[in-house]
Amino acid sequence: MAATADVAAKVFFDQEGFIAESKELRLKHLEEQAMFALKIACENYENAVFPNALIAGDVVITHLLHRLGYLKDGRCTIMVVDTFHLFPETMAFVNEVEKAYGFTAEIFCAEGVPVADKAGFDKKYGADLWKVNIEQYDKVCKVEPFQRGLKTLKANCMINGRTRWQGVERAWIDQFENAPIGGGLAKCNPLAYWTLEDTFDYIAKHEILHHPLHAKGYPSIGDAKDTIPIPEDGSVTFVDFKFSGDKTKWLDYAQERKGRFVGLANADGSTKTECGIHVVGAEQTFDRDLWPGSAAVQELASTDAALALKSKGPSVVVVYAPWCQFCQALEPEFEKLSAAVGLPVYKLRGDEEREFVAANFNTKSFPTINVIDSKGEVIKYESEARSVEAMAAFVKANAI
């Protein structure tokens, strides 16, 4: 009996060691499970793409991909969406991670604006777009470049860092699913069953690169305009692979994104918790077509059909993108144009054929309205006046 008591006492008094060993076993299992998922994604799909926001879970996935060799051998492409409203530390950190792991990220941003050209964004879309219309901001700065990135990279499997621990909206995700974005695209969530504590345990265990703003009190990092430290006084930090302060303020269930989307509301007045990229129906936000089923605005379904118009006599063609707010605003007036001018009117979706529409239909931005005259020449409507009367006057003056 005495021997048994001694053993029990040793186990009891070594409970911290027991807990540490248990956590190590758990983390080892989670690592193996995550690497299994990444192997499935990268070895069974030709174009696995990882949209990477450089938050805690994303740097874990990046490191796992590096360990597996998928970044250097090109089996996985890292994609980054620059909203033009990120913290300056974020894009600098992208460069640091690229150099450390030997890859080059594919950067996507708002349509028609060069990478890193914030002034160009402000000129085209307005510096206060997010204040004026947060849904449109999300569409222009996040959803559309995200979708365009997946399409440009021909992604057939999307890797991402969502976890069940992040909140009720994500409480039942699994490691594999069909993505709402892209209409059936395979989706791999390698960290689906991890807690945020597991994520920081991994960062500490392997001493991996992680976002510098964790050291300034930010558990998660998004746009600078609506991301704050948690708690707001910055009393919890992660420095030198250790927490300072009450780490439960970060690590409790659904706390990771508590400092995100601060002060933002959806159109219905509800508190904003998602940017729109991962929600069900996001593909409709992006792919809602304009003039659907219209008898007045005919669809050009191919580039060959568009080129053939040049030999068919006078007509009008709008080159558009369905997500573009200016195209959406044009929709009702352009619908009336055919009746006003007595000519066939067509729509040509340009965001999926950018080089073609630039070369053949004078398109640098959306919408671009062109008249094809009787000689087959394509003449651009340069005015910003988009009433049916203004457009009709231009068409009648140039269609002969």
Side-chain angles (χ1 to χ4, degrees), residues 295-315:
V297 182
Q298 304 171 59
E299 181 178 9
L300 294 170
S302 68
T303 54
D304 288 342
L307 290 174
L309 282 183
K310 295 183 179 182
S311 62
K312 293 183 178 181
S315 61

Side-chain angles (χ1 to χ4, degrees), residues 16-163:
E16 290 187 6
F18 174 73
I19 291 170
E21 184 176 354
S22 296
K23 289 185 68 174
E24 178 60 30
L25 289 171
R26 172 183 168 80
L27 192 57
K28 180 181 178 182
H29 168 71
L30 290 172
E31 287 182 39
E32 291 174 350
Q33 190 180 60
M35 286 194 283
F36 164 77
L38 291 172
K39 287 177 183 178
I40 295 295
C42 297
E43 296 184 12
N44 288 277
Y45 293 89
E46 292 181 356
N47 297 308
V49 175
F50 175 30
N52 194 333
L54 286 305
I55 57 177
D58 288 0
V59 299
V60 168
I61 295 172
T62 306
H63 187 255
L64 289 169
L65 288 167
H66 171 65
R67 286 172 61 185
L68 291 165
Y70 294 150
L71 298 180
K72 285 190 176 180
D73 68 13
R75 290 195 184 189
C76 182
T77 300
I78 300 288
M79 178 182 110
V80 174
V81 173
D82 183 1
T83 67
F84 292 113
H85 293 73
L86 300 174
F87 287 92
E89 291 91 341
T90 297
M91 294 309 294
F93 183 50
V94 170
N95 296 333
E96 183 181 356
V97 173
E98 286 177 320
K99 292 176 183 177
Y101 296 151
F103 71 93
T104 300
E106 298 287 341
I107 311 294
F108 292 87
C109 56
E111 185 275 328
V113 182
V115 171
D117 186 3
K118 178 61 164 64
F121 172 86
D122 290 349
K123 182 178 180 180
K124 185 175 179 65
Y125 294 104
D128 292 333
L129 176 61
W130 69 274
K131 297 179 183 177
V132 175
N133 189 329
I134 189 61
E135 284 78 15
Q136 186 66 23
Y137 169 80
D138 283 347
K139 192 185 301 183
V140 167
C141 295
K142 299 180 181 181
V143 177
E144 188 282 326
F146 186 93
Q147 276 255 6
R148 173 161 37 91
L150 295 179
K151 290 181 179 181
T152 301
L153 299 173
K154 297 180 171 59
N156 53 8
C157 182
M158 179 174 68
I159 298 166
N160 82 100
R162 295 183 309 148
T163 77

Side-chain angles (χ1 to χ4, degrees), residues 215-270:
K216 296 183 178 181
Y218 293 83
S220 184
I221 299 95
D223 281 351
K225 61 183 173 55
D226 52 56
T227 304
I228 63 172
I230 296 295
E232 290 188 52
D233 62 6
S235 59
V236 179
T237 60
F238 186 75
V239 181
D240 295 330
F241 307 104
K242 294 179 181 179
F243 277 102
S244 175
D246 182 4
K247 66 181 182 180
T248 64
K249 299 296 184 181
W250 286 19
L251 303 182
D252 275 350
Y253 180 74
Q255 293 302 294
E256 177 180 359
R257 298 186 302 147
K258 186 177 179 180
R260 301 278 299 279
F261 311 112
V262 174
L264 301 182
N266 297 308
D268 63 2
S270 61

Side-chain angles (χ1 to χ4, degrees), residues 293-361:
S294 172
V297 182
Q298 304 171 59
E299 181 178 9
L300 294 170
S302 68
T303 54
D304 288 342
L307 290 174
L309 282 183
K310 295 183 179 182
S311 62
K312 293 183 178 181
S315 61
V316 184
V317 180
V318 60
V319 182
Y320 75 103
W323 46 263
C324 168
Q325 63 174 328
F326 306 110
C327 298
Q328 293 164 3
L330 175 68
E331 193 172 14
E333 290 296 282
F334 199 75
E335 178 85 19
K336 306 171 188 174
L337 188 58
S338 179
V341 299
L343 294 175
V345 172
Y346 298 91
K347 64 176 183 177
L348 174 61
R349 183 166 177 172
D351 57 327
E352 296 178 338
E353 296 289 351
R354 291 169 186 268
E355 292 183 6
F356 173 81
V357 296
N360 295 281
F361 287 89

